Every structure is written in structure tokens, then in C-alpha cells.
Amino acid sequence: PAVAIPLRAPPTRPATVLHVCTDLACTAAGAERLCAGVESRLGPDSGVRIERSPCLGLCERAPAALVVRAGDPAPPAFEERGSRAQRPLAGSGAEPRGRDGKEWREREPLRATAVSAPATVDTAVAAATAPGTAPAEPGPATAVPQAGDPALTLLKRIGTADPASLDDYRAHGGYTALRRAFALGPAAIIREVTDSGLLGRGGAAFPTGRKWQATASQPDHPHYLVCNADESEPGTFKDRVLMEGDPYALVEAMTIAGFATGAHRGYLYLRGEYPRALRRMEHAVDQARARGLLGEDVLGQGYAFDIEIRRGAGAYICGEETALFNSIEGYRGEPRSKPPFPVEKGLFGKPTVANNVETLVNVLPILTMGAQAYAAIGTGNSTGPKLFCVSGSVDRPGVYELPFGATLGELLELAGVRGGLRAVLLGGAAGGFVRPDELDIPLTFEGTRAAGTTLGSGVVMAFDDTVPLSRLLVRIARFFREESCGQCVPCRVGTVRQEEALHRIEERAGAAAAGDIALLREVGRAMRDASICGLGQTAWNAVESAIDRLGAYE
């Protein structure tokens, strides 16, 4: 006879989650003490789940906490694409479809969010128990110590123009670049970007003009534009500040990039941990569409272009462009094998150009001042201004704008580096450490490469001698282990073995650590040589530099 087996209901998850950042900058600012204090105040019956989180992109206000409270799903759970802002644009070609051929877009649950940064036990507990009463975040200008400096190029409007006002943006030079773009035409725009020497600001430093030209020349249509705003590299927050403080600049830059490359739809893939940036960008896109700056006839020029915002789910791997494409398409966020490259077959299998926020915003001064004037800023191989995210043991953390060629020491002097400097991490978790006696390194792509390190996306994180180096290395290893998508064995297994070895030698040195250091080198080489994407290829960089440059575990 059949036996009835009672089914147990799945455990109920609290609707409120308090994410406390325990990544590098927040660890240096006392994140573990914050976690311990919050856990002692919010017991198991509080209805709040406490999670130790990777970087929340709030490094200038460390330690940081983010509260997310979920609500009931908005009925219906799905809605057809093509309604309201999702309506296909004239000239945009076939709209993307799901695996079953239907055009559906999943709707997100209703959510309330609150940010507490810098967080104390009291402010984090208050935000978790009543997110709606949390105090407003400070303005974006507080993250820009140079705010108001007339010499700024990329950050000039932050703190001087109202980020919610399209009229104020235009009064401060907004949409001048787009009008010049229409006067030039697509081919001349790409030539200007190429002549400017603009290299991608996401870390790979690929020439932007070449990427645009390769996409524009593809005969297959439609073409797509993707803005990668999923900056999840620990220590990186420049794109967040740009979107919060100057959102219309990104809308204008995306429109120019779409026009130049023959794209009629742009996707803004926005990091899920950026609630204020989401609100600002949604408002900017809506206002631009209402004023004829997006839609079927942009500025009356007969060019159709619109922007769709897609939120990431907090996966570092989705910063890799092909994993990002998979995420937008509704698949698991895993990198694709190359070739074919995105300029040939990218989003929805069509030619796609992908740039990050800072790269796109650089296009505006290129068109307003001209390629030659832009190229005169910086150095011969690293042109233009660069944004640096400075955090850690400094008095004035934030986003700094300097021309390429300034030295690491000059940047840290601006930020007010504290005494007892032990090390500086360049490029984030995927970057490398340098010593205090190496502050004359020029901050250029070629200068950092010659010094045996990397500029990456512009992370500059200073650590004084109060921060245990071994704890930082374990945290970096844990980050890569947790963020590996698991698709390839070298990364899936290597990141675990790396963290295990670092735990074993956390309190050891000299001969006692020699065996595990040899194992780390072997595992690191395997990850670097055989991983399918940049996550595994760079997961050993910071640990290697700490061992070889800083003498960790000697």
C-alpha cells in the first residue's frame, strides 16, 4: 500500500535582510565590530536576517550597511513586453524574445531599501527595523572632495547642478555633445573617439573607438548598446557617484554611443545594491523620454533610441560582459567562450558594444572640446582625465579626478593619507599591492604595468599598520571563492584551495608557511593560465603581490 509522506513546509525567510559590508575598506573601518554589535541587538526573533556582504560600493562612507525589505509580488507576476516604455521603437528591428519565443519581462517584488553609511550599531538597527524612517543619504557631492573645482571635466556638475533637473543639466552644458554628434554623423563620431585615444575605463583598457567601429561595421542587425553599471569590484564606487550626481550625462552619452554604432536600444545594467542610483537613472530616462531626448525621434533628427534599465542581482561575475549578456537574456550569469566576440554576436546574438559608465561619460568632453584637445590631457598612451576611488586609511576618501600621469603619492596627498602606511592596493581585489616606498608610480596604464601592477578600474585603497594584512588576504580569497560562477574547474576549485591555504597560514610565517605558499603559487598559476574569464585569471594577483612585494608570511 502507498505510504503518505508528510511534506514539510520550507523554512520561512525573514522579509528584511540587513547586509553589512565586510569587504576591504569596511573591514579596515571596523565592520566586524559592527556585525557583532548588530547581532547582539537583533536576535533570532527580530524578523531581520543579518548577512555579511561583499563590497556595497559605499567605500567612502565605510563601514556600510544596506537594508532590503521585500513585499508581496506586484500582480501580475509577468507583463507582456511592448507596453508603455517597452514598446518596440521604429527602426529597432525584431525585439528580443525568451526561449519559448514569447516576449515576457519578469516583474520584481516590491521592495523597500535603506542605506546606513557610515553605519553604527544604532543606525544599522534602526534602518533594519524601520527602513522607511532611515535618514536620507548625504548628497553625491560629499563623495567628491574636489566638488566645485572649475578645472574638473567629468565631475564638474556634481555639487553644482541639480541631478533631478533636466533644465539645470542643460544650463550646465548638457546635450551640447549630442547636438554636435548629430552634426558630425556616426562615422565622424567614431573617428573623434578613436583620435582621442580613449581607452576603456573598466580595467581592460581596450580602445573605445576600435570597439565602436567594429560594432558599427557589422551587417547583421539590430545592433545593441549595453552600459555596464555593475561595478562590483571591491573598492570601486565612481560609477555610482556619476549616476547619482550626474545621471543625464549618462543618458546623453548612451544616446551618442547608440547613434554612432547603429543601435536603437540601449540597456543599462545597474548594480542591484545601488537603490539611489536606480531612482536617479529611472527619473532621468523618464524625463529625457518625455522631452523628446529619447524615443522614436530624438531631437527631431529622425533617429530612434531608448534605454531600458535592468538590475543586477549582486553577482560580481556579471561585470564580465558576456556573463552580463546572459543575465539580461534571463540565463545564468556565466561567461561565454570567445570567439565570437560581442561586436559580432553579443546580446541576443546580435552585434553589441559594451562600455562602462565612466568610459561613456568621457565621450561628452571628447565631442565638446575636440579629440585633439582631449588627447592633450594625460600622457601619450593614457589620454584624458581619470577617476580614482580612494578609500581606506585616508582622511578624505572619495572619487578624485586627475589627469593620467599624476603619481600615486600626489593622489594620496590630496586624500590625506594617514601615518603608518603599510600598503596600497591598486585595482581592487583583482589588482595588486604596492609598498609605501613606491608612491612615485605614475597612474597610467603603461606606468602601472611597468611597475608590475595594474591600474584596473581606478581603485586606490590605503592600509595603515593597524590593519592585519593576513586578514585582508583571507577576505580577498573569500570574495573570489564566493563570486566564482563555478563554470570552469581552475576557478571553481582554485579559489577554494587558495582560501583554504590562506586560512592555514594566517598565523604562520617563514618555514612554517613555505609549503602552503608553494601550493598557492601552483594554484595561482593554474587559475591564471586556464580560467575561462578574468575572475579566475586575476584571483591570485593580490595574494601574489602581497607575498612578493610586501613580504607577507616572511
Side-chain angles (χ1 to χ4, degrees):
V3 177
I5 300 176
L7 298 177
R8 277 192 308 182
T12 303
R13 296 182 62 182
T16 303
V17 179
L18 173 63
H19 301 271
V20 179
C21 179
T22 57
D23 227 311
L24 304 179
C26 289
T27 288
E32 286 301 329
R33 293 192 301 273
L34 175 63
C35 285
V38 169
E39 288 168 344
S40 68
R41 291 271 297 275
L42 296 174
D45 300 324
S46 65
V48 177
R49 178 179 174 179
I50 301 167
E51 288 191 356
R52 285 167 165 78
S53 169
C55 185
L56 295 173
L58 294 162
C59 312
E60 85 281 12
R61 308 204 311 262
L66 169 68
V67 177
V68 178
R69 176 173 289 179
D72 295 327
F78 293 85
E79 68 177 0
E80 282 194 57
R81 293 172 59 95
S83 62
R84 297 191 299 277
Q86 304 299 327
R87 187 175 298 111
L89 288 172
S92 64
E95 282 296 285
R97 295 173 179 265
R99 292 182 179 182
D100 58 0
K102 295 180 180 179
E103 298 182 28
W104 299 105
R105 181 171 68 91
E106 187 173 2
R107 294 185 62 179
E108 296 183 6
L110 298 173
R111 306 201 307 173
T113 59
V115 170
S116 177
T120 64
V121 173
D122 290 339
T123 60
V125 169
T129 52
T133 63
E137 294 184 65
T142 61
V144 181
Q146 300 164 297
D149 185 344
L152 296 177
T153 300
L154 304 179
L155 302 175
K156 63 182 179 181
R157 278 182 288 264
I158 296 181
T160 60
D162 180 359
S165 171
L166 177 56
D167 290 331
D168 208 14
Y169 174 70
R170 298 181 77 162
H172 286 80
Y175 282 97
T176 304
L178 180 60
R179 292 185 182 279
R180 181 157 191 261
F182 281 133
L184 289 172
I189 296 170
I190 294 175
R191 188 163 55 249
E192 285 283 292
V193 173
T194 302
D195 292 345
S196 73
L198 175 64
L199 301 179
R201 303 300 201 238
F206 191 84
T208 304
R210 280 173 53 191
K211 183 184 288 190
W212 286 21
Q213 179 59 50
T215 306
S217 62
Q218 295 296 319
D220 194 13
H221 285 275
H223 295 180
Y224 290 109
L225 167 71
V226 173
C227 175
N228 185 350
D230 190 59
E231 58 171 358
S232 301
E233 183 72 49
T236 312
F237 49 95
K238 58 186 174 58
D239 290 352
R240 188 204 90 225
V241 172
L242 285 171
M243 289 186 289
E244 291 179 348
D246 200 8
Y248 291 103
L250 181 56
V251 174
E252 181 182 5
M254 288 182 68
T255 309
I256 293 170
F259 179 60
T261 58
H264 295 277
R265 181 170 290 279
Y267 289 87
L268 174 61
Y269 190 84
L270 181 60
R271 188 178 179 191
E273 292 90 347
Y274 285 174
R276 182 163 68 175
L278 173 67
R279 294 192 299 270
R280 292 278 168 86
M281 291 309 306
E282 285 180 334
H283 177 75
V285 168
D286 289 343
Q287 290 298 305
R289 189 181 294 123
R291 301 277 286 273
L293 299 167
L294 289 174
E296 299 197 13
D297 187 13
V298 176
L299 279 177
Q301 297 293 318
Y303 168 62
F305 183 77
D306 213 335
I307 295 172
E308 182 174 335
I309 299 176
R310 294 291 186 93
R311 295 184 67 190
Y316 174 69
I317 189 63
C318 288
E320 197 278 338
E321 58 187 7
T322 60
L324 186 156
F325 300 157
N326 277 344
S327 178
I328 291 177
E329 293 176 18
Y331 303 124
R332 182 180 175 86
E334 293 179 338
R336 303 173 184 173
S337 297
K338 301 174 186 178
F341 294 96
V343 296
E344 301 165 313
K345 291 188 179 296
L347 185 65
F348 304 113
K350 297 296 182 180
T352 304
V353 61
N355 294 119
N356 76 341
V357 175
E358 184 188 355
T359 305
L360 287 168
V361 170
N362 267 273
V363 173
L364 303 182
I366 289 172
L367 292 183
T368 54
M369 69 172 60
Q372 299 307 315
Y374 179 91
I377 302 172
T379 66
N381 295 319
S382 299
T383 62
K386 178 74 184 81
L387 300 183
F388 297 95
C389 308
V390 184
S391 60
S393 303
V394 295
D395 295 326
R396 295 177 292 279
V399 179
Y400 287 82
E401 179 185 317
L402 290 175
F404 275 114
T407 66
L408 177 58
E410 289 170 343
L411 175 59
L412 289 175
E413 186 178 352
L414 278 177
V417 66
R418 298 171 192 161
L421 182 65
R422 169 76 186 278
V424 180
L425 180 62
L426 290 180
F433 287 97
V434 298
R435 301 186 304 271
D437 61 350
E438 297 179 297
L439 300 187
D440 58 348
I441 293 175
L443 295 174
T444 61
F445 293 115
E446 64 274 16
T448 51
R449 194 181 306 117
T453 183
T454 178
L455 193 62
S457 59
V459 174
V460 177
M461 202 175 293
F463 298 102
D464 59 27
D465 50 17
T466 65
V467 182
L469 181 59
S470 59
R471 187 188 304 169
L472 290 180
L473 298 182
V474 169
R475 184 63 186 89
I476 290 172
R478 177 155 59 95
F479 172 80
F480 281 110
R481 189 258 300 165
E482 292 175 342
E483 296 297 333
S484 172
C485 72
Q487 183 182 28
C488 66
V489 172
C491 179
R492 181 176 72 239
V493 177
T495 53
V496 175
R497 297 294 173 261
Q498 177 173 261
E499 185 187 14
E500 289 172 347
L502 288 170
H503 272 298
R504 284 195 298 270
I505 62 175
E506 190 169 1
E507 302 300 332
R508 295 191 214 161
D516 278 309
I517 288 176
L519 175 63
L520 281 168
R521 292 189 188 279
E522 184 177 349
V523 170
R525 282 194 297 267
M527 288 193 292
R528 181 174 293 162
D529 294 342
S531 295
I532 193 174
C533 81
L535 188 150
Q537 293 163 12
T538 60
W540 154 246
N541 285 1
V543 178
E544 180 184 36
S545 66
I547 293 171
D548 293 341
R549 296 181 89 118
L550 303 183
Y553 311 113
E554 285 184 358

